[in-house]
Amino acid sequence: MMSLAARSGAFSPYLQATAFTVAGPLKALVPGVVLKTDKVLLDTKKPFLCRESLRGQSPLTGPAVTVSINGRAGVRFAHTDIKVPDFSDYRRPEVLDPHKPSTESSESRRAFSYLLTGATAVVSVYAAKTVVTQFVSSMSASADVLAMSKIEIKLSDIPEGKNMTFKWRGKPLFVRHRTEKEISAEEAVSLAELRDPQEDKDRVIKPKWVIVIGVCTHLGCVPISNAGDYGGYYCPCHGSHYDASGRIRKGPAPLNLEVPYYEFPDDDTVVVG
């Protein structure tokens, strides 16, 4: 309003200056007055500190304007009436006094920092352990795969002198119930006669039970049980002969038949895997 009026010199006889100094279009500050006292608070020859001039002088008793159409109308104050927030409730008692040197409270602050750092480290390690455990367990075998990794066989179903074939982990598994004659014959074999030397006792847990993987060690064929020159296993593909302990005795196969891990929970049951 005053800015518009101050720039309308041609209409000055018809206009009156406002009696208020306005900080903005919404709220008036204080009434504008003309000082008439013997004590002069301002140098009237210098402009007021206002929006048009940053070099003016700031009044000590509030803003004052003249009742002239050319009078200053934009007196501004610094925002000294704003209260600074008090954060004392959030500060430690040791650091409330601004005149107290920080070295006197360093011990208590250091202890707090160590405590906070230690707690953060413990939480971080626990979180890392949880993440790693979950990641590793996600790559482990599922329950159905683990169930297929083992097979339980009832031994009473296998007659003496016979061999039964089971499927285990996608491979044929030979379980042979040996006779006393077969046990004696295999135990009497000299290691010098064997291509892959192994004692019979090192390949069995119980002498009358031989458990081997039915895959020929030459090219992966499946041998025939109770066949061959040694009465054990015979691979017709390339003529590999194994004895009743699963040891290679003749033919191109370089190694004995593989013996998997197995255990006997009782006398009538074997668990393979």
Side-chain angles (χ1 to χ4, degrees):
M1 290 290 295
M2 287 298 299
S3 175
L4 177 61
R7 287 166 174 76
S8 303
F11 300 97
S12 57
Y14 307 101
L15 297 176
Q16 279 189 342
T18 180
F20 290 80
T21 303
V22 181
L26 298 178
K27 183 179 179 182
L29 290 178
V30 293
V33 296
V34 178
L35 299 177
K36 296 181 179 180
T37 60
D38 297 333
K39 184 178 181 181
V40 179
L41 299 178
L42 295 174
D43 186 356
T44 56
K45 296 182 180 179
K46 293 183 179 180
F48 291 134
L49 181 64
C50 61
R51 67 182 181 183
E52 284 82 7
S53 173
L54 297 177
R55 297 176 298 172
Q57 55 183 331
S58 177
L60 301 179
T61 58
V65 297
T66 63
V67 290
S68 169
I69 197 66
N70 293 321
R72 302 291 184 179
V75 179
R76 293 291 186 268
F77 281 118
H79 297 287
T80 56
D81 59 336
I82 299 177
K83 294 183 179 180
V84 178
D86 185 10
F87 296 99
S88 299
D89 294 339
Y90 304 96
R91 301 174 65 187
R92 289 191 292 263
E94 297 85 356
V95 296
L96 287 178
D97 188 0
H99 303 290
K100 185 177 180 181
S102 61
T103 55
E104 296 183 10
S105 60
S106 61
E107 292 297 331
S108 61
R109 290 187 289 108
R110 187 180 298 114
F112 176 78
S113 300
Y114 289 161
L115 176 63
L116 183 61
T117 303
T120 304
V122 170
V123 173
S124 300
V125 170
Y126 181 78
K129 169 186 170 294
T130 303
V131 171
V132 171
T133 302
Q134 293 294 331
F135 179 73
V136 172
S137 62
S138 67
M139 296 188 296
S140 62
S142 58
D144 56 341
V145 174
L146 292 175
M148 294 177 62
S149 67
K150 292 186 177 182
I151 182 173
E152 183 176 314
I153 300 171
K154 189 175 182 181
L155 299 176
S156 59
D157 295 337
I158 306 174
E160 188 177 10
K162 298 296 181 180
N163 181 91
M164 291 190 67
T165 304
F166 301 89
K167 184 179 180 181
W168 176 68
R169 296 183 181 178
K171 301 177 181 179
L173 180 71
F174 294 159
V175 180
R176 186 186 189 95
H177 190 175
R178 297 193 299 184
T179 63
E180 292 297 332
K181 182 180 179 180
E182 290 175 331
I183 295 173
S184 301
E186 301 306 332
E187 290 177 348
V189 174
S190 174
L191 293 180
E193 303 176 13
L194 301 176
R195 182 179 301 167
D196 184 12
Q198 271 188 310
E199 294 279 0
D200 180 69
K201 63 181 180 181
D202 295 333
R203 294 178 56 82
V204 296
I205 297 177
K206 293 183 178 182
K208 64 179 181 179
W209 296 105
V210 172
I211 302 175
V212 294
I213 296 177
V215 177
C216 180
T217 57
H218 179 221
L219 293 176
C221 304
V222 179
I224 301 172
S225 60
N226 296 324
D229 296 347
Y230 299 89
Y233 305 94
Y234 171 67
C235 181
C237 298
H238 300 93
S240 296
H241 297 258
Y242 301 87
D243 60 18
S245 185
R247 297 173 296 190
I248 182 64
R249 302 295 293 275
K250 181 181 178 182
L255 301 173
N256 302 330
L257 294 179
E258 181 183 352
V259 177
Y261 174 81
Y262 63 91
E263 58 186 3
F264 294 93
D266 53 58
D267 293 338
D268 192 40
T269 306
V270 63
V271 177
V272 181

